[in-house]
Amino acid sequence: MDLMGMMGKLKETQQKIEDTKKRLDTVLIDEQSADGLLKITLTANRKVTAISIDDSLLEDKEQLEDYLIVTLNKAIEKATGVNERELDAVAKMDMPMIPGMDNLFK
């Protein structure tokens, strides 16, 4: 087992992961309520960048809160899926399988 070679690969993979995380800041995920009255945009790193609320939702605080919860959760779920797929692909690309290290980069 070439330990120095593995350490080099590990550093290279860590850099690729950091680069991927930066790129995911530019990947936008759009989600909206079923009726389109609430729209949310966030990055694949799960940072909210925009929220658009139809005026009709401003009349009912409880309804707006429900819309926000449902739509934000759907958007976060989508963004998490994109984020995990991208980071998993980078982490597995060149790394040898080392038992116990499969969660190292999450």
Side-chain angles (χ1 to χ4, degrees):
M1 183 185 299
D2 176 17
L3 190 58
M4 292 305 288
M6 283 180 58
M7 292 304 288
K9 280 243 188 249
L10 184 60
K11 277 198 170 304
E12 184 180 316
T13 300
Q14 284 175 322
Q15 184 59 51
K16 286 180 183 177
I17 287 171
E18 290 307 311
D19 293 345
T20 300
K21 285 180 180 178
K22 286 179 188 166
R23 184 178 59 75
L24 290 174
D25 277 332
T26 66
V27 175
L28 299 179
I29 309 296
D30 293 313
E31 186 60 59
Q32 65 180 3
S33 58
D35 56 12
L37 296 179
L38 177 70
K39 297 175 184 168
I40 295 175
T41 302
L42 64 158
T43 70
N45 281 328
R46 299 172 295 268
K47 298 219 183 333
V48 177
T49 61
I51 296 177
S52 172
I53 302 170
D54 187 271
D55 288 342
S56 66
L57 289 177
L58 299 178
E59 298 166 13
D60 185 344
K61 180 180 184 271
E62 195 172 294
Q63 182 184 19
L64 175 56
E65 290 169 345
D66 290 344
Y67 269 64
L68 283 167
I69 289 168
V70 169
T71 308
L72 274 168
N73 282 333
K74 286 192 325 189
I76 290 167
E77 189 177 308
K78 273 188 185 177
T80 298
V82 170
N83 183 288
E84 288 176 353
R85 281 191 302 277
E86 293 287 325
L87 291 177
D88 283 350
V90 172
K92 292 175 184 173
M93 196 178 320
D94 295 319
M95 289 302 296
M97 289 310 295
I98 301 170
M101 295 189 72
D102 51 343
N103 289 322
L104 182 66
F105 300 108
K106 290 187 176 180

